[in-house]
Amino acid sequence: MSKPEVKRLGGIYTLAWKEEGVFARVDHIAEHSGVLSGEVLLQTVLPGQNGHLHQARLNLTSTTARNAVIKALQSRADDLDWYAIIEQLCREVINLQREGEPFQVLPEIASAPTVTYRAKPLLVEGQANVIYGPGEFGKSYLGQYLAALVASGYTQPFLEIDPGHVLYLDYETSAADFKMRMEGIYRGLEQEPGGELLYRYCVQGLADDLAAIQKVVFEHGIKLVIIDSAALAAGSYREGDPSGPTIRYFQALRELRCTTLTIAHVAKAAKSSSIYGSVFWFNMARNVWEVKKVQEPEEAGFTIGLYHRKANSVRRFRPFSLQFHIDAKGTLLVSAKDVGAVPEFQEAGIKTALLAALQFGAKTVNELSETVGAGESAVRGTLNRGAGTSFVRIVSAGGGATTWGLRSGR
């Protein structure tokens, strides 16, 4: 009896007895009260067989359950030592599952490769990427646009693409809406859909649905998973455990072992610049971009500004903007635009810089102008518009220069 070749990818195990022509996959692993079970699929390339042998959920720790599977397999192909095969399968999976990830000695750890991107500069390869902003700010359009580019390998002047199979997990709309938008995106690209782009209408939280999603990622060689959107994908919050769903969500992302993009909303009011929900949405993400939007009434499209808020393994990129034009047929055209050319985005950038500069004490308009690198009129206008909500004017009792500080409680 040959020894099986065993591979593990997240919670999926494959075993191959090449001399015997038998192959097995074990997934949907679960453990309750010391009982470890998994869904087992056995296939063969033996002559006279159609490939499939048996599929069942198996209690890997039960002798009775093993014997039942052995009996079923013997009725299909009685010339193999099924006792040895099933015994090896159960032993290998139990040992690997309970060992968890392997321990490594420092010299044996592979050196970190050069940082790469699935869609530069937005998506860092192999990392948990997050793009967030208020509702109706074009985040889903951006997510689907990135899905089309990566799946088809269409590099743009403003986005450098590394092609690969894509899985889009939709927690907000429908398959029909997704298809309609994707058709408009491909028309705008003047390309036929290429590569592989899988879609799934989702209801369960990602962590609860992980086994099924892992299986698709494994079988289709998925390189990018896009989740739209974060709050529904995380699942329900439990009393006394407000951060639990977010933590479990990021644990599930790690199990997928590929590049991920999570589309998230902002907290509370639309003017907020933090991700809705637990602080762990920001802390556990490795690469975070904020979306801002400008749209004139009755305008056929909109412009978004993209601001790099966090980068663990790469340098932060400068803000940039994308202009989305949508015609009457739903065709989407996307072009890059200088974020400084949009007054609303320029002011947003100045406000962020002023908030940072005033963390260390009050300053005059002239001092702030020199610190943030913006004209005095732009600085003064931003301060006046934020007076009472973000900034406070401090008038000197002795007739000195007026200074500005941060509103108390920020």
Side-chain angles (χ1 to χ4, degrees):
M1 187 73 204
S2 67
K3 186 177 180 180
E5 179 183 294
V6 184
K7 294 181 181 178
R8 174 174 62 180
L9 180 62
I12 298 175
Y13 299 86
T14 61
L15 300 93
W17 292 264
K18 294 185 177 179
E19 291 182 16
E20 288 78 12
V22 175
F23 303 89
R25 185 184 69 220
V26 185
D27 53 28
H28 290 75
I29 304 289
E31 185 166 10
H32 301 287
S33 302
V35 174
L36 187 67
S37 64
E39 188 170 306
V40 179
L41 172 66
L42 286 138
Q43 297 175 309
T44 182
V45 292
L46 292 172
Q49 299 290 334
N50 64 3
H52 176 79
L53 286 172
H54 190 66
Q55 184 171 7
R57 183 154 199 91
L58 173 63
N59 179 347
L60 300 168
T61 56
S62 167
T63 301
T64 302
R66 295 183 197 184
N67 288 336
V69 171
I70 291 168
K71 184 176 180 180
L73 289 166
Q74 287 173 336
S75 69
R76 297 294 304 275
D78 60 2
D79 55 341
L80 290 175
D81 187 352
W82 288 114
Y83 178 86
I85 290 174
I86 296 303
E87 186 71 17
Q88 287 175 343
L89 181 151
C90 292
R91 184 179 67 248
E92 292 287 350
V93 174
I94 289 171
N95 289 342
L96 288 172
Q97 181 69 16
R98 290 185 171 161
E99 284 175 5
E101 294 297 317
F103 293 91
Q104 295 176 279
V105 180
L106 181 60
E108 297 176 357
I109 299 175
S111 299
T114 303
V115 174
T116 57
Y117 296 82
R118 186 56 56 176
K120 190 176 182 178
L122 293 176
L123 305 181
V124 181
E125 178 69 5
Q127 299 289 341
N129 302 274
V130 172
I131 292 177
Y132 74 100
E136 298 185 339
F137 264 41
K139 301 184 301 298
S140 293
Y141 260 119
L142 177 60
Q144 289 185 223
Y145 183 68
L146 290 169
L149 295 180
V150 172
S152 303
Y154 301 142
T155 289
Q156 301 296 294
F158 46 87
L159 286 172
E160 184 179 327
I161 300 299
D162 183 9
H165 294 173
V166 178
L167 172 61
Y168 201 100
L169 302 178
D170 184 3
Y171 288 83
E172 293 197 347
T173 60
S174 66
D177 289 339
F178 178 82
K179 181 179 180 181
M180 179 179 65
R181 280 192 176 184
M182 292 305 300
E183 289 174 342
I185 289 169
Y186 281 114
R187 284 197 303 272
L189 292 170
E190 297 183 344
Q191 300 283 351
E192 293 294 323
E196 183 170 283
L197 172 55
L198 295 179
Y199 169 90
R200 192 183 199 209
Y201 178 96
C202 295
V203 177
Q204 296 185 75
L206 180 69
D208 295 327
D209 206 14
L210 180 61
I213 294 169
Q214 273 185 318
K215 185 176 178 181
V216 172
V217 170
F218 174 78
E219 291 180 344
H220 292 264
I222 298 296
K223 300 300 181 184
L224 170 63
V225 177
I226 299 176
I227 303 100
D228 186 6
S229 62
L232 291 171
S236 301
Y237 288 84
R238 301 167 188 171
E239 187 175 352
D241 186 25
S243 296
T246 306
I247 293 171
R248 287 189 289 274
Y249 176 84
F250 278 97
Q251 287 174 328
L253 289 187
R254 285 179 66 84
E255 290 279 9
L256 295 179
R257 298 169 191 264
C258 64
T259 306
T260 62
L261 166 61
T262 302
I263 296 171
H265 292 84
V266 296
K268 300 177 183 177
K271 292 182 180 179
S272 174
S273 61
S274 60
I275 303 172
Y276 175 79
S278 166
V279 68
F280 285 107
W281 282 112
F282 187 87
N283 291 348
M284 299 183 78
R286 302 294 87 189
N287 184 52
V288 179
W289 289 80
E290 182 182 4
V291 174
K292 296 182 182 293
K293 177 185 175 185
V294 173
Q295 183 174 21
E296 297 298 328
E298 300 183 5
E299 182 181 353
F302 53 90
T303 301
I304 62 171
L306 289 152
Y307 298 81
H308 205 182
R309 300 305 190 201
K310 179 181 179 181
N312 277 74
S313 56
V314 298
R315 64 179 176 84
R316 285 201 202 181
F317 286 88
R318 292 183 180 277
F320 70 102
S321 70
L322 298 175
Q323 192 167 29
F324 288 67
H325 178 80
I326 307 166
D327 69 14
K329 295 182 179 180
T331 301
L332 175 67
L333 297 173
V334 181
S335 59
K337 194 171 185 178
D338 181 6
V339 75
V342 184
E344 293 87 345
F345 292 158
Q346 186 178 37
E347 181 171 314
I350 293 173
K351 181 178 179 180
T352 299
L354 290 174
L355 290 171
L358 291 172
Q359 292 285 340
F360 304 101
K363 291 181 173 61
T364 65
V365 169
N366 178 263
E367 289 171 334
L368 288 169
S369 175
E370 292 180 356
T371 301
V372 305
E376 287 190 24
S377 60
V379 169
R380 188 176 289 106
T382 303
L383 291 169
N384 286 330
R385 279 183 284 275
T389 56
S390 299
F391 309 109
V392 291
R393 184 187 289 107
I394 304 169
V395 180
S396 173
T402 297
T403 58
W404 287 82
L406 294 179
R407 181 182 65 83
S408 177
R410 279 197 60 83

